[in-house]
Amino acid sequence: MASSPEDPVLERYFKGHKAAITSVDFSPNGKQLATGSWDTFLMLWSFRPQARAFRYVGHKDVVTSVQFSPLGNLLASASRDRTIRLWIPDKRGKSSEFKAHTAPVRSVDFSADGQFLATASEDKSIKVWNMYRQRFLYSLYRHTHWVRCAKFSPDGRLIVSCSEDKTIKIWDTTNKQCVNNFSDFVGFANFVAFNPNGTCIASAGSDHTVKIWDIRVNKLLQHYQVHSGGVNCLSFHPSGNYLITASSDGTLKILDLLEGRLIYTLQGHTGPVFTVSFSKGGELFTSGGADAQVLLWRTNFDELNYKDISKRNLKRLHFDSPPHLLDIYPRTPHPHEGRIETVEINPKLDVIDLQTSTPPVVDILSFDSTTDEQPFLPKSVRN
């Protein structure tokens, strides 16, 4: 099927890691990309032509998660070496190490105001850290198996976590109690995230499913079975209207949440895809996986009016029955099976003039800063 202007396109790819990519995140200004890998390195890529990439050396085991602070002046990383690190993302690479957990750390997440950092670990705990003083604040214990992921709500009042104990828990950051619990009887969630307005959570399931829950009424809203392998990661478009998923089946899927259906299947990686993220403005997204490549995509489909893209896709595709428009809060759960109502994009079949994929890499050896009463954090964080 010929591509249309509203289809996402592969714009660029980056090579520099020596092993699988585990995590990706855009800088708030959209000019840089941070990646973590099984090769133990954190890398910082610039979108400027001929710009160098920085490879930060410091972790002693797999880097499992990376995230920019909301201001972009800090970069947090988690590792199987049981530590988290806070880096200043520049050519000096100054970092501060926290011996955070007693087992591998699986995720890091800044609160929207940048004041707090949540970490999740295989020691079955979630920990919250104060970024102003670079101090540990408190732990959340209720999970009975490894915690895979923990994320703040947009307003910072809640944390959602998922564990191999097959539960998703909602925590109140004020009283530090578990206030909600979603259980599954088949698989566990590899990844969870709040939607942009904080009313729903989405989970990426080891049982190949994607689920969306309304946390106000504790109901499963949408249930997608569109992947043929475990779903490893997902990311909401800033509008909240779209969700992108990454799977061990080697594909990315883009779901239209208003219409409640799969709209795009993206090929491009060889082997499992472990991570995906929209940019802060939603105009780009990036993905990484077992092939050690970082792919940068231009979204495109979000530039059209929603009704226009629906009409255009209806013309391009053949349906067994007309699609039904779904409000994102239907009264009853709607399961969504994968059908041929989707556009498949495989950039390997196209002749694409991609920009240079292997920029020169500068290794930056970390020199650690101890956490004392005079933290190294930039003034913009401390003030």
Side-chain angles (χ1 to χ4, degrees):
M1 181 181 291
S3 63
S4 292
E6 75 271 16
D7 293 341
V9 295
L10 179 61
E11 192 164 90
R12 188 171 180 178
Y13 62 98
F14 297 98
K15 288 182 178 178
H17 281 294
K18 297 177 173 64
I21 311 296
T22 57
S23 182
V24 292
D25 193 42
F26 285 91
S27 62
N29 64 11
K31 295 180 179 179
Q32 291 176 302
L33 186 65
T35 57
S37 169
W38 286 4
D39 64 11
T40 76
F41 303 130
L42 178 81
M43 291 192 71
L44 188 62
W45 312 85
S46 172
F47 297 155
R48 289 183 290 109
Q50 279 77 52
R52 296 176 299 172
F54 296 129
R55 179 163 49 211
Y56 295 109
V57 182
H59 282 297
K60 299 174 179 63
D61 206 335
V62 173
V63 178
T64 55
S65 179
V66 296
Q67 193 183 59
F68 280 97
S69 65
L71 290 177
N73 53 354
L74 282 177
L75 189 55
S77 60
S79 172
R80 292 196 63 83
D81 66 11
R82 305 183 181 188
T83 70
I84 55 174
R85 280 179 181 262
L86 292 176
W87 310 78
I88 296 180
D90 60 17
K91 62 184 179 183
R92 292 181 303 161
K94 194 173 183 182
S95 77
S96 181
E97 182 185 74
F98 295 76
K99 298 190 187 310
H101 289 270
T102 58
V105 190
R106 298 301 294 259
S107 81
V108 287
D109 188 60
F110 283 100
S111 59
D113 59 11
Q115 292 187 39
F116 304 102
L117 185 76
T119 60
S121 170
E122 292 179 11
D123 65 10
K124 308 177 189 176
S125 77
I126 300 120
K127 293 189 176 183
V128 177
W129 307 77
N130 181 305
M131 289 293 94
Y132 171 70
R133 297 187 180 277
Q134 287 197 34
R135 293 289 182 268
F136 165 74
L137 285 180
Y138 58 88
S139 295
L140 301 172
Y141 290 104
R142 281 286 293 277
H143 283 296
T144 58
H145 208 308
W146 297 349
V147 186
R148 307 277 301 203
C149 179
K151 297 280 187 182
F152 281 102
S153 61
D155 62 10
R157 292 189 297 176
L158 300 172
I159 290 173
V160 61
S161 62
C162 62
S163 165
E164 292 194 21
D165 64 13
K166 298 185 180 180
T167 68
I168 295 171
K169 296 186 187 297
I170 308 287
W171 309 81
D172 185 317
T173 59
T174 303
N175 62 25
K176 304 169 184 56
Q177 298 296 313
C178 178
V179 294
N180 215 330
N181 190 80
F182 301 99
S183 298
D184 206 324
F185 300 103
V186 182
F188 55 84
N190 286 311
F191 192 92
V192 283
F194 280 93
N195 70 337
N197 68 11
T199 59
C200 297
I201 56 168
S203 64
S206 65
D207 60 354
H208 311 177
T209 65
V210 176
K211 295 177 181 178
I212 298 178
W213 312 78
D214 187 327
I215 63 171
R216 300 167 301 179
V217 293
N218 301 336
K219 275 192 176 180
L220 176 64
L221 295 181
Q222 296 181 342
H223 178 195
Y224 296 90
Q225 295 173 299
V226 293
H227 283 289
S228 59
V231 188
N232 299 312
C233 188
L234 49 77
S235 178
F236 279 97
H237 186 271
S239 68
N241 295 341
Y242 305 101
L243 186 73
I244 189 165
T245 59
S247 169
S248 292
D249 65 13
T251 68
L252 301 167
K253 305 272 186 179
I254 297 172
L255 305 170
D256 183 328
L257 301 180
L258 295 180
E259 195 169 326
R261 69 181 181 91
L262 172 67
I263 53 173
Y264 290 109
T265 296
L266 305 180
Q267 310 282 349
H269 286 283
T270 302
V273 190
F274 294 129
T275 180
V276 67
S277 180
F278 275 110
S279 62
K280 304 304 181 275
E283 67 281 355
L284 298 169
F285 60 92
T286 185
S287 57
D291 58 8
Q293 291 191 100
V294 180
L295 304 187
L296 180 68
W297 308 77
R298 185 157 295 279
T299 305
N300 290 334
F301 59 81
D302 65 335
E303 295 178 6
L304 288 175
N305 179 279
Y306 175 72
K307 292 181 180 177
D308 291 343
I309 192 171
S310 295
K311 288 177 183 176
R312 198 163 306 192
N313 278 346
L314 281 169
K315 290 176 183 176
R316 294 169 60 197
L317 304 170
H318 298 284
F319 296 91
D320 299 331
S321 58
H324 56 287
L325 281 172
L326 283 180
D327 181 64
I328 196 168
Y329 311 116
R331 283 188 291 274
T332 56
H334 289 258
H336 298 284
E337 302 282 347
R339 286 157 54 191
I340 54 169
E341 315 173 345
T342 179
V343 178
E344 187 161 325
I345 296 172
N346 188 346
K348 294 177 182 176
L349 303 179
D350 301 328
V351 178
I352 301 177
D353 181 21
L354 290 174
Q355 298 179 44
T356 304
S357 61
T358 51
V361 175
V362 178
D363 278 345
I364 297 174
L365 301 176
S366 170
F367 59 94
D368 295 343
S369 170
T370 55
T371 55
D372 53 25
E373 294 305 315
Q374 298 295 324
F376 74 86
L377 297 182
K379 290 181 180 178
S380 55
V381 174
R382 284 187 264 143
N383 293 341

